[in-house]
Amino acid sequence: MALIVQKFGGTSVGSIERIQNVAKRCLAAQRAGNKVVVIVSAMSGETNRLLGLAHALTAVPNAREMDAIAATGEQVAAGLTALAIEAEGGRARSLLGHQVKVLTDGAFTKARIRTIDHSKIQATLEAGEIAVVAGFQGVDDDGNITTLGRGGSDTSAVAIAAAIGADACEIFTDVDGVYTTDPNICPSARKIDRISYEEMLELASLGAKVLQIRSVEIAMKYKVPVHVRSSFNETPGTWVTSEDKSLEDVVVAGVAYDKNDARVHLVGVLDKPGVVAEVFAAIAEKNVSVDMIIQNATSNSEGRADVTFTVSRTDLVRAKPFIEEVASKVGASAVKYDEDIVKVSIVGLGMRSHAGVAAKMFKLLADEGINIQAISTSEIKVSCIVHQKYTELAVRTLHDGFGLGKPVG
Ligand code: ASP
Ligand code: MG
């Protein structure tokens, strides 16, 4: 007998018919001899609809009330799923975040889980029932309803799996698993059978949107095996697990791209100690995170340097005024922005032990005439900024150039 957590995303519970399918699936798992905890998202489109209602009233809704509103989507889905299980002849009980309880900090709309008291879930399972838990929501110390950020039901599922010591956390979604790259822009993309937590974390933060990043962090910390799979068929999906020898041999596991970056170029700032410290302190103080940073001496201008960095496009509008303020303080002669860029990245554990991976990436891009504007690397990742018009070409070239298009034996 195993203890399993099954999480169903918005499309999987998007209609009464689909909820009935979910009910059948959980019951099949229970009848096969497992203890089953189900986590549900709101029905597809519901969270957007609810947040839209709040925004229709006021441009900047109070975050506490936003959470009170948004959390209802999961409440409805949990109740309906429990009913559907009963209608199929099973026994189930819905549990909301505050009933479980999932205790979070008080950061409304992006709360982080502190602890999970799993006694109600355990009691439900002991009674032979399926526990249907509303994802995405928690409660803070003062009893306020909180939510875990968009896509947060993944995090609810993995955190509950960790808390109850589940044997696996199945994430049911509308795709067959994690792909080597985005199949919408690269026809030869393949489903990955197994990937390490580290690689998944890099891919998720580089814009591959299958799992909320936080859920992968928790899975890695507590070693929860995660199985991302389709709710519409029985085909095995992608296992996200601890690394082992076979995963370490994979030089490049996936190619990701992210169009949410913008490049900022400070021309001719003073080249002396403390200048970049001042620039980036001013940016950090406003809670804008910076990704890549490049500094080089300005040609034919003694004692001056150019500083280039990237921020997320969503932050840029907000960031422009204080970037310009600090730029003039450090003597920049101009500030330039470029939003027509894309970050393409290759990710793989095998990079740790194979030399020349970055060089091969640069060569593949160069052979297609794609100019690289900035580069950053980590132990298992290389990212390049290129012009946005090359997005598809760059992704396909890297994907096929690193042999990801071919089935691996
Ligand atoms: N319903 C929430 C959202 O759309 C949480 C989730 O689906 O994971 O972000
Ligand atoms: Mg999701």
Side-chain angles (χ1 to χ4, degrees):
M1 185 199 288
L3 175 54
I4 54 177
V5 170
Q6 300 190 312
K7 181 256 169 178
F8 293 90
T11 38
S12 311
V13 295
S15 67
I16 291 299
E17 202 200 344
R18 286 187 175 172
I19 291 178
Q20 288 168 326
N21 285 332
V22 166
K24 291 197 182 96
R25 217 162 174 153
C26 322
L27 273 171
Q30 192 194 39
R31 287 178 184 144
N34 302 301
K35 287 186 177 169
V36 182
V37 178
V38 179
I39 317 291
V40 287
S41 289
M43 296 170 79
S44 55
E46 184 62 7
T47 309
N48 286 342
R49 189 186 73 86
L50 293 166
L51 296 176
L53 291 175
H55 280 111
L57 268 171
T58 157
V60 191
N62 175 299
R64 178 183 181 277
E65 306 315 332
M66 292 262 273
D67 279 358
I69 295 162
T72 62
E74 274 71 15
Q75 174 166 347
V76 171
L80 288 173
T81 304
L83 275 185
I85 293 171
E86 305 229 315
E88 286 293 328
R91 287 168 59 219
R93 177 187 297 245
S94 68
L95 292 170
L96 302 179
H98 71 271
Q99 295 172 315
V100 165
K101 80 186 196 181
V102 178
L103 186 73
T104 70
D105 62 18
F108 297 114
T109 75
K110 47 176 185 296
R112 285 167 74 102
I113 298 176
R114 282 206 179 128
T115 56
I116 293 178
D117 171 2
H118 51 84
S119 53
K120 283 236 170 55
I121 294 179
Q122 299 289 11
T124 306
L125 296 175
E126 289 313 320
E129 297 173 332
I130 293 177
V132 184
V133 181
F136 183 49
Q137 49 173 268
V139 63
D140 73 5
D141 271 332
D142 296 324
N144 298 303
I145 291 172
T146 55
T147 68
L148 309 178
R150 300 309 304 269
S153 299
D154 295 335
T155 298
S156 308
V158 174
I160 286 172
I164 64 177
D167 297 293
C169 179
E170 295 186 291
I171 305 278
F172 288 93
T173 178
D174 50 5
V175 292
D176 286 337
V178 180
Y179 278 71
T180 47
T181 194
D182 180 356
N184 296 313
I185 70 164
C186 181
S188 58
R190 285 181 306 104
K191 188 184 74 193
I192 301 171
D193 293 332
R194 280 181 67 228
I195 190 168
S196 67
Y197 296 121
E198 292 89 334
E199 289 164 318
M200 192 64 234
L201 209 52
E202 290 283 11
L203 288 175
S205 55
L206 293 169
K209 290 175 198 67
V210 230
L211 291 171
Q212 199 196 35
I213 292 173
R214 185 85 189 108
S215 72
V216 187
E217 289 170 355
I218 295 176
M220 179 156 95
K221 181 163 175 196
Y222 296 99
K223 300 205 169 14
V224 179
V226 175
H227 187 186
V228 181
R229 57 189 306 190
S230 169
S231 61
F232 305 127
N233 60 50
E234 300 283 334
T235 322
T238 303
W239 280 94
V240 189
T241 63
S242 301
E243 62 184 82
D244 60 19
K245 187 74 191 80
S246 71
L247 291 180
E248 280 166 20
D249 286 343
V250 181
V251 178
V252 175
V255 178
Y257 67 96
D258 192 347
K259 288 187 176 171
N260 191 30
D261 273 346
R263 202 160 53 108
V264 182
H265 188 57
L266 309 184
V267 186
V269 303
L270 291 168
D271 194 3
K272 61 167 202 199
V275 166
V276 284
E278 183 172 355
V279 170
F280 292 104
I283 296 170
E285 191 193 310
K286 296 291 193 324
N287 248 317
V288 169
S289 37
V290 170
D291 184 17
M292 302 180 177
I293 300 174
I294 300 165
Q295 184 191 323
N296 44 270
T298 309
S299 47
N300 50 27
S301 179
E302 231 5 63
R304 299 274 163 174
D306 288 354
V307 177
T308 306
F309 57 93
T310 61
V311 298
S312 84
R313 246 180 251 183
T314 17
D315 280 341
L316 186 63
V317 194
R318 191 164 67 83
K320 272 184 184 175
F322 55 83
I323 288 176
E324 276 155 33
E325 194 188 310
V326 71
S328 73
K329 266 198 214 155
V330 297
S333 57
V335 184
K336 295 179 188 162
Y337 304 98
D338 185 359
E339 297 189 53
D340 291 326
I341 59 167
V342 63
K343 181 168 66 185
V344 286
S345 309
I346 55 173
V347 172
L349 286 181
M351 278 178 214
R352 292 196 295 227
S353 47
H354 290 76
V357 180
K360 179 169 176 182
M361 179 182 194
F362 306 153
K363 175 87 169 68
L364 286 165
L365 295 173
D367 287 348
E368 294 297 331
I370 302 174
N371 185 41
I372 300 170
Q373 303 177 6
I375 300 162
S376 74
T377 65
S378 78
E379 212 189 5
I380 64 164
K381 175 198 79 179
V382 186
S383 299
C384 294
I385 297 281
V386 302
H387 194 285
Q388 185 170 298
K389 71 182 175 199
Y390 295 126
T391 307
E392 301 193 357
L393 179 62
V395 169
R396 288 180 192 166
T397 301
L398 296 174
H399 186 263
D400 296 349
F402 279 102
L404 292 175
K406 289 183 246 103
V408 277

